[in-house]
Amino acid sequence: MRELPFLINFELKRLIKSRAISVFLILIMLVLPIIMNNLDTQETIIEKWYGTLQLQMVFLLILIPSMVSYVWKGYLQSFERAVILLKLTNRAMYIVGKIVAVLLFVSVYLFFFYVIFFIFYANKIPISILLITLFQVFLSIFYSITFSFFISFYLKRTVYLHILLIVYLVFSIYLNSPYFSIWFNPDYLQHQMTDLLFNVKRGIFLSIGILFMFGNVLLFKRRVNDK
Amino acid sequence: MEIKIKNLTKIYKNIKVLDNVSLEIHNGVFGLLGENGAGKTTLMEIISTLLPFDDGEIEVAGLNVKKEPLKVCEILGYLPQKFDFFPKVTLEESFDYLCKLKGMNNSESRKQEINLRLQEVGLLSEQKKYIQELSGGMKQRFGIAQALIGNPKIILIDEPTVGLDPHERISFRNLITRISRDKIILLSTHIVQDIASTCKNLMVLQKGKVNYFGSTIDLINKVRGKVWLYNILDDEIPHVDLFVSLQDKGSSIEIRYIADNPLQGSISTEPTLEDAYIYINRKELTV
């Protein structure tokens, strides 16, 4: 476990250095909300926010496979195996570090966006709504990352990951199932998010994400022992 | 200090990749010679604890590889074949990362280690360069420098000179010889010249089996008096026991071959490790 912070730190550095990913994230987190906010509509602040959030999440979830592929090719390169893994006391931490790094990287962008958002709209949006929505956002991101890592063990090319995630996302929004959907129709989310049963179902969804995380560790261990 | 391997067997997809391999390696550069697919990398990965094995025993500096893998890793450095690293990080960042993973938590000692290792391989002035900006030879030197982090007692080097130009190849061999004092260096290659110029002892692997284990000189002596040169004037190449090479001499063609009974008119010549390797592997070369 002692090496986990170093592994995360290094992968974060690599992600920060990827200009394309950073540009897309800035577009999604900053430019898109500014454009949406300046559209002349009759909507309330919350409605505007949900509209923006919907677009943000769709683009963000589509971007996640690119981030996953950037840090993890789906297989172990010879230097990863013989140089990095050889120096680790727990080799599974290598994949855990990558998953956590992608999660942290997206979360930092989200955090800054919502700090600014909260400063501007603190008295216009109830804090409880904001926090519950944010929980759903993080849940979706966590699930998409662990799911993308899991699939990357089988599908080597990033484009296949993208296609799969887009199909999954379309089905998610169409079905609006709390057990299955990575993201929802904003109206559905707005009405359901305070419902206890909905949140219990999302808890089950979270458990599936955690299972994917364990699955990633198991698949990784198998890859390490395979030649 | 030594590496002891007893009756090692590794089966992969119902094929014996390593078949009952036994050997002992002491300080110095030890050569592991064999053609592609002979099982060299598998053996290296098993010694380094990266691959499990099916049967046998391995002891590295008195440590059992199966029972104490973490302790074995602590005293090991590994340079894999076709060494590369993440392209968009600098040499310094990569080194700092690898030093941290090796357990060097103090930033001052890490800095000292980075400077020492990069100086050792002549890359100190390149430390701000991105990995993608390094030449093949520089990457190999970075590879050996990273294997030296923490001053390990045992260094495994897999096919280090593949893809290097002649100048880089010679300087890399010199580097290996220079760092080999008080260490075991296990050098795996299919390039006979690399072994000839660096190793006193070697093992020849063929299809997972030990074909020869002993000193380089003894191996060469096996073909002493059996290597011949024969000049032909026309294009018709005579049948020889074990053909080694063919060289155009202008007016004639010189054949180098191995045989107990030479062709009439052949001249005996000094054997090389390459001759001995071909002899031991009994591999008939096509003209």
Side-chain angles (χ1 to χ4, degrees):
Chain A
M1 283 295 273
R2 66 161 174 84
E3 57 260 9
L4 189 60
F6 305 131
L7 291 165
I8 296 169
N9 189 23
F10 186 73
E11 296 300 342
L12 276 173
K13 256 189 204 169
R14 287 183 61 215
L15 279 165
I16 290 164
K17 283 187 178 187
S18 164
R19 283 189 204 139
I21 289 173
S22 293
V23 166
F24 275 116
L25 273 174
I26 289 167
L27 282 175
I28 294 167
M29 295 294 175
L30 200 70
V31 179
L32 183 75
I34 291 171
I35 294 169
M36 292 296 285
N37 194 44
N38 288 315
L39 287 177
D40 194 21
T41 57
Q42 301 297 312
E43 291 170 327
T44 63
I45 291 294
I46 293 188
E47 282 167 343
K48 263 190 181 178
W49 171 42
Y50 273 128
T52 307
L53 184 65
Q54 178 74 349
L55 277 177
Q56 272 185 321
M57 286 306 287
V58 167
F59 288 125
L60 191 60
L61 293 175
I62 293 171
L63 185 64
I64 280 173
S66 297
M67 288 189 261
V68 169
S69 296
Y70 189 77
V71 297
W72 170 244
K73 288 194 181 305
Y75 60 90
L76 273 168
Q77 300 176 79
S78 70
F79 69 87
E80 290 181 295
R81 210 179 140 74
V83 176
I84 299 172
L85 294 192
L86 200 67
K87 293 177 174 64
L88 302 182
T89 52
N90 183 351
R91 287 170 188 162
M93 285 303 120
Y94 189 59
I95 196 76
V96 174
K98 285 177 186 287
I99 295 170
V100 175
V102 177
L103 188 64
L104 273 178
F105 187 64
V106 180
S107 303
V108 166
Y109 274 89
L110 270 172
F111 175 77
F112 282 116
F113 170 73
Y114 276 100
V115 165
I116 298 166
F117 185 82
F118 191 69
I119 292 167
F120 277 97
Y121 298 108
N123 50 357
K124 290 176 184 159
I125 297 174
I127 185 81
S128 57
I129 298 284
L130 186 75
L131 290 177
I132 294 169
T133 307
L134 270 182
F135 173 72
Q136 294 302 329
V137 167
F138 280 109
L139 188 55
S140 293
I141 289 167
F142 168 74
Y143 183 91
S144 309
I145 291 170
T146 54
F147 174 75
S148 297
F149 266 97
F150 190 80
I151 298 301
S152 75
F153 280 96
Y154 299 101
L155 303 176
K156 299 284 184 314
R157 295 185 66 179
T158 316
V159 66
Y160 298 148
L161 265 179
H162 276 121
I163 292 167
L164 193 73
L165 209 91
I166 290 168
V167 171
Y168 193 173
L169 188 59
V170 170
F171 267 105
S172 294
I173 295 170
Y174 175 73
L175 287 173
N176 279 335
S177 159
Y179 291 122
F180 168 83
S181 296
I182 25 176
W183 192 243
F184 302 97
N185 194 318
D187 294 334
Y188 179 79
L189 184 65
Q190 217 170 335
H191 290 114
Q192 295 289 319
M193 62 164 43
T194 48
D195 180 54
L196 180 67
L197 190 63
F198 172 83
N199 285 301
V200 170
K201 287 174 182 173
R202 290 307 273 171
I204 294 168
F205 178 76
L206 171 67
S207 312
I208 300 169
I210 293 168
L211 278 179
F212 274 130
M213 182 93 172
F214 282 114
N216 288 324
V217 170
L218 286 176
L219 284 174
F220 181 77
K221 279 184 174 173
R222 199 191 289 174
R223 285 286 157 93
V224 172
N225 288 333
D226 267 1
K227 201 173 148 51
Chain B
M1 192 178 48
E2 56 196 2
I3 298 175
K4 282 183 189 171
I5 299 174
K6 256 189 212 166
N7 309 331
L8 175 68
T9 299
K10 166 80 183 169
I11 299 167
Y12 184 69
K13 289 183 180 171
N14 293 327
I15 296 166
K16 278 189 178 175
V17 187
L18 290 173
D19 188 1
N20 214 20
V21 172
S22 298
L23 73 150
E24 271 188 32
I25 307 169
H26 302 275
N27 275 10
V29 188
F30 183 88
L32 194 54
L33 194 57
E35 50 204 62
N36 291 330
K40 304 185 297 291
T41 302
T42 305
L43 180 60
M44 298 274 238
E45 292 203 344
I46 288 173
I47 295 172
S48 67
T49 75
L50 287 169
L51 265 186
F53 53 96
D54 298 287
D55 205 6
E57 267 180 42
I58 307 180
E59 247 182 42
V60 175
L63 300 164
N64 188 301
V65 167
K66 251 186 187 163
K67 289 176 188 159
E68 299 161 290
L70 288 179
K71 283 185 181 170
V72 171
C73 286
E74 277 174 24
I75 56 162
L76 268 183
Y78 195 165
L79 169 61
Q81 27 176 321
K82 293 176 200 158
F83 177 76
D84 210 338
F85 208 71
F86 301 111
K88 285 180 181 167
V89 284
T90 65
L91 200 50
E92 191 184 26
E93 286 168 337
S94 313
F95 240 89
D96 189 59
Y97 170 60
L98 295 171
C99 285
K100 281 175 182 167
L101 296 184
K102 193 80 182 176
M104 295 181 181
N105 293 327
N106 182 291
S107 67
E108 200 49 49
S109 63
R110 247 185 356 253
K111 213 171 182 178
Q112 278 175 7
E113 181 78 4
I114 294 169
N115 286 341
L116 174 72
R117 297 304 165 203
L118 289 181
Q119 191 148 29
E120 241 172 346
V121 298
L123 283 175
L124 194 59
S125 58
E126 316 289 336
Q127 60 179 312
K128 300 286 177 197
K129 271 192 176 172
Y130 285 101
I131 302 298
Q132 63 187 7
E133 295 170 339
L134 302 179
S135 69
M138 282 174 171
K139 277 184 191 168
Q140 283 304 82
R141 279 188 277 154
F142 165 41
I144 197 80
Q146 67 75 26
L148 287 168
I149 292 174
N151 199 22
K153 291 174 185 167
I154 294 153
I155 300 176
L156 311 176
I157 304 176
D158 198 359
E159 305 278 4
T161 59
V162 172
L164 299 188
D165 64 38
H167 180 75
E168 285 176 329
R169 184 170 285 182
I170 291 164
S171 68
F172 196 80
R173 281 182 203 147
N174 294 338
L175 177 65
I176 290 172
T177 308
R178 194 149 46 85
I179 60 168
S180 67
R181 293 187 64 180
D182 309 323
K183 284 184 184 13
I184 292 178
I185 296 191
L186 184 52
L187 173 67
S188 151
T189 185
H190 65 271
I191 300 167
V192 180
Q193 198 53 44
D194 287 349
I195 301 277
S197 51
T198 47
C199 307
K200 273 187 192 163
N201 297 299
L202 82 159
M203 180 175 85
V204 179
L205 264 181
Q206 195 182 28
K207 290 177 184 166
K209 287 184 175 171
V210 180
N211 222 352
Y212 176 81
F213 171 60
S215 80
T216 311
I217 292 168
D218 286 347
L219 179 58
I220 293 170
N221 283 340
K222 281 184 186 286
V223 282
R224 196 167 291 284
K226 292 176 182 171
V227 185
W228 307 93
L229 298 174
Y230 181 73
N231 282 299
I232 53 167
L233 297 170
D234 49 24
D235 285 345
E236 202 162 311
I237 295 162
H239 176 76
V240 290
D241 287 0
L242 199 56
F243 178 83
V244 178
S245 66
L246 200 67
Q247 200 177 6
D248 190 353
K249 293 278 180 184
S251 57
S252 64
I253 293 170
E254 188 182 78
I255 303 174
R256 187 184 183 95
Y257 69 98
I258 300 165
D260 288 324
N261 303 308
L263 297 166
Q264 204 167 17
S266 297
I267 305 159
S268 177
T269 188
E270 193 63 19
T272 63
L273 184 61
E274 193 169 32
D275 298 324
Y277 175 65
I278 291 167
Y279 179 73
I280 209 88
N281 268 1
R282 295 288 197 284
K283 188 180 174 187
E284 189 76 62
L285 300 179
T286 48
V287 182

